[in-house]
Amino acid sequence: MDAEYIEKKRTKFLGLPFCFVTYTITEEKINIRSGFLSIVEDDAYMYKVQDVRLTRSFLERIFRLGTVTCFTGDKTHPELKLEHIRNAAEIKDYLMEASEDARMKRRTMHTLNIDAGEMEEEEDED
């Protein structure tokens, strides 16, 4: 799987790329670069992506756009939103497969810390 997606955030009106936000998705990571004069870059490693959601508002459907939300295990960005992008369904599917492949390569598993806070409190009491 040697794919790389580069998409620009588009306006909901006419679906034109007037925003200064670029999304780059590779096998290893997701990069969001935003800004014109001052630039901010956010990255998340692909193996940290736990779930992906695709949403389409009425205007997005008209202009064939979508918003992909990546739920990650990252502390700085638990949700990465790739807003108003083209090929949103294809990108969502790619993110699901690439994140699973990245976890398999790193031999990383997702575990939910159910009742983790309660266990810590019990240990403190002992």
Side-chain angles (χ1 to χ4, degrees):
M1 197 183 337
D2 286 337
E4 177 179 66
Y5 290 97
I6 299 175
E7 282 288 330
K8 290 194 173 280
K9 179 179 178 181
R10 297 170 184 276
T11 61
K12 281 188 178 181
F13 182 71
L14 301 178
L16 299 173
F18 288 136
C19 299
F20 296 102
V21 179
T22 304
Y23 306 111
T24 306
I25 304 165
T26 64
E27 285 183 25
E28 298 295 320
K29 66 181 179 177
I30 302 168
N31 176 275
I32 299 174
R33 186 172 195 241
S34 60
F36 178 67
L37 295 176
S38 61
I39 295 172
V40 176
E41 286 194 35
D42 293 317
D43 293 315
Y45 285 108
M46 194 62 74
Y47 75 92
K48 290 186 176 186
V49 175
Q50 297 171 353
D51 200 9
V52 180
R53 177 192 305 156
L54 170 63
T55 55
R56 288 188 170 139
S57 68
F58 178 69
L59 283 176
E60 285 179 325
R61 287 188 1 234
I62 289 173
F63 296 110
R64 298 181 183 171
L65 303 174
T67 296
V68 177
T69 305
C70 300
F71 299 95
T72 69
D74 194 21
K75 292 187 187 255
T76 57
H77 297 288
E79 287 185 15
L80 287 175
K81 286 192 176 191
L82 291 77
E83 296 179 299
H84 317 308
I85 59 173
R86 289 197 174 159
N87 306 313
E90 182 181 330
I91 290 172
K92 179 192 78 76
D93 292 340
Y94 174 77
L95 286 168
M96 290 296 292
E97 290 177 23
S99 63
E100 187 64 30
D101 290 345
R103 280 192 297 281
M104 295 300 267
K105 284 180 188 174
R106 292 180 73 99
R107 297 180 185 185
T108 305
M109 292 180 53
H110 286 301
T111 56
L112 297 174
N113 292 331
I114 300 173
D115 299 331
E118 292 177 14
M119 290 180 69
E120 289 176 4
E121 289 175 8
E122 289 175 7
E123 289 176 4
D124 291 340
E125 292 174 2
D126 291 336

